[in-house]
Amino acid sequence: MGWEQELGEADRMWRTYIEMAKHLNSHLQQHLQRECDLSAADFEVLVRLTESERREMPVAEVAAATQWEKSRLSHQLTRMAQRGLVERVDSDDRRYPDVRLTDKGYAAISKAVPEHTEMVHALFVDVLGPERLAGFAQACADVLRALDRHRKRDCTL
Amino acid sequence: MGWEQELGEADRMWRTYIEMAKHLNSHLQQHLQRECDLSAADFEVLVRLTESERREMPVAEVAAATQWEKSRLSHQLTRMAQRGLVERVDSDDRRYPDVRLTDKGYAAISKAVPEHTEMVHALFVDVLGPERLAGFAQACADVLRALDRHRKRDCTL
DNA sequence: AGCGCCAGGTTGATACGTCAAGCAATGAGT
DNA sequence: ACTCATTGCTTGACGTATCAACCTGGCGCT
């Protein structure tokens, strides 16, 4: 066939990264699901909500924090509300309802965060050690900047 | 609330990684979809198929390469067959049908791979440069090993 | 040969993500 | 004050992922 056998060093390294990301992700996700009965999406929303003092914030704020589409968030909140993890609250301006963390939701995230953090440390932070971790993060930040630049160019086209 | 404000260095670096992975992924995926009308799943299956001389291999082999569930693969192949990218072929043993890359599928992947590779270089490989890339890949490999060890322990429990 | 077993694949039900269209409440223009 | 444009949220439809149940054809056993 041709091109696909000629994988250079760089491409093999790219594949290593892809593999790592895939496995790490699925491992963390499965753990969260098994131990805490939370999907990754549930977890993310709950974490964002705890970042407010009042366990409550406008939907738009959650949307901004998660960078999700509004419709995705809306569906997600509906499902989470059905399971009693959050509840929708009408704020003073009826257009922009708030979301509040219920006690059940708070209990769930309180259990999940330490477990998740422990897992992240065991599988990632401690594996790399401080210096390599710093280098890794720096690399990620650089890639992020490159992405931003690229995106800006695409938008202005 | 407490714990979530006390994000250490390490946790912020973890978040940086998560952000990077998310954005990089979605950027590559969108590009593939827009330019080549292929989903990430399509792309992966097609790449695996080109790794065979005959553009054809047993379903099980694709499953092993992609590490997907058999049902996911089956659905995916059905959809790809409907779109004419692949076709199912009965092999000598009727239990284990083969999948073959059609001409259309070959054309699609032939267009997609160079574009994708170019993107990966622009956004990742070239951003890091050779030495940092090597360090990065080494880190990924180490995390992968840690994951394997962890998984082994889980299985033997 | 007839019997059940089993590995692997397919199918169907359900949950999730995305897109496009709809809806509701405010604020600006007249 | 009435209309309407805007903004953000919700809804519905469709494509995809996952889980469990179910075929199906080859294999060993008696």
Side-chain angles (χ1 to χ4, degrees):
Chain A
M1 315 282 302
W3 43 262
E4 78 285 350
Q5 267 79 357
E6 306 155 8
L7 283 178
E9 279 291 308
D11 299 276
R12 252 181 286 120
M13 289 173 176
W14 166 254
R15 282 204 176 193
T16 305
Y17 156 68
I18 289 293
E19 277 291 292
M20 188 276 282
K22 196 166 66 176
H23 286 269
L24 188 50
N25 224 350
S26 80
H27 192 94
L28 288 171
Q29 223 161 297
Q30 282 171 16
H31 177 82
L32 219 50
Q33 188 70 62
R34 269 206 326 268
E35 304 296 322
C36 311
D37 195 39
L38 292 176
S39 72
D42 298 333
F43 184 80
E44 173 135 20
V45 169
L46 292 177
V47 166
R48 301 306 183 175
L49 279 177
T50 61
E51 277 162 3
S52 150
E53 298 290 333
R54 299 159 39 249
R55 300 186 186 177
E56 176 178 339
M57 60 172 68
V59 172
E61 211 165 305
V62 184
T66 56
Q67 308 242 57
W68 290 357
E69 302 215 353
K70 53 192 182 169
S71 73
R72 175 182 177 187
L73 182 56
S74 190
H75 285 302
Q76 179 71 31
L77 291 177
T78 304
R79 291 184 297 253
M80 291 177 75
Q82 277 167 1
R83 295 169 51 206
L85 295 171
V86 301
E87 55 189 358
R88 294 186 204 260
V89 178
D90 277 1
S91 67
D92 40 355
D93 188 333
R94 291 258 177 75
R95 277 176 301 181
Y96 317 135
D98 281 13
V99 198
R100 178 153 58 188
L101 194 57
T102 63
D103 289 346
K104 182 176 172 189
Y106 183 70
I109 194 61
S110 297
K111 174 169 183 287
V113 164
E115 291 207 19
H116 185 259
T117 304
E118 188 189 347
M119 201 56 110
V120 167
H121 277 253
L123 292 175
F124 185 76
V125 175
D126 297 346
V127 170
L128 297 186
E131 316 86 26
R132 287 214 297 164
L133 178 61
F136 196 95
Q138 185 56 55
C140 293
D142 290 351
V143 171
L144 265 176
R145 263 205 308 284
L147 271 165
D148 269 355
R149 256 183 279 121
H150 215 270
R151 184 156 319 170
K152 276 215 178 56
R153 238 189 301 141
D154 278 7
C155 284
T156 53
L157 275 180
Chain B
M1 314 288 298
W3 43 260
E4 78 284 351
Q5 268 77 358
E6 306 154 8
L7 281 178
E9 279 291 308
D11 299 274
R12 250 181 287 121
M13 289 172 177
W14 166 254
R15 282 203 178 194
T16 305
Y17 157 67
I18 289 293
E19 277 292 292
M20 187 276 282
K22 195 166 66 178
H23 286 269
L24 187 52
N25 224 347
S26 79
H27 192 94
L28 289 170
Q29 222 162 299
Q30 282 171 15
H31 178 82
L32 219 50
Q33 187 70 62
R34 269 205 327 267
E35 304 297 320
C36 310
D37 195 39
L38 292 177
S39 71
D42 297 334
F43 184 80
E44 173 137 19
V45 169
L46 293 178
V47 166
R48 300 307 182 173
L49 279 176
T50 60
E51 278 161 1
S52 150
E53 298 292 333
R54 300 160 37 249
R55 299 187 186 178
E56 176 178 338
M57 60 171 70
V59 172
E61 210 166 307
V62 184
T66 57
Q67 308 242 61
W68 288 358
E69 303 215 354
K70 52 190 185 172
S71 74
R72 176 182 180 188
L73 182 55
S74 188
H75 284 302
Q76 179 70 32
L77 291 177
T78 303
R79 292 186 296 254
M80 290 177 76
Q82 276 166 2
R83 294 169 52 206
L85 296 171
V86 301
E87 56 190 356
R88 293 186 206 260
V89 179
D90 277 2
S91 66
D92 41 355
D93 187 334
R94 291 258 178 75
R95 281 177 298 182
Y96 318 135
D98 281 11
V99 198
R100 178 153 57 190
L101 194 58
T102 62
D103 288 346
K104 182 175 173 191
Y106 184 72
I109 194 61
S110 298
K111 173 167 184 287
V113 163
E115 293 208 16
H116 186 259
T117 303
E118 188 190 347
M119 201 55 110
V120 166
H121 278 253
L123 292 175
F124 186 77
V125 175
D126 297 345
V127 170
L128 297 186
E131 315 85 25
R132 287 214 298 164
L133 177 61
F136 195 94
Q138 185 56 54
C140 292
D142 290 351
V143 171
L144 266 176
R145 263 205 307 283
L147 271 165
D148 270 354
R149 258 184 278 122
H150 216 270
R151 185 157 316 170
K152 275 213 178 58
R153 240 189 298 141
D154 279 6
C155 285
T156 54
L157 276 181

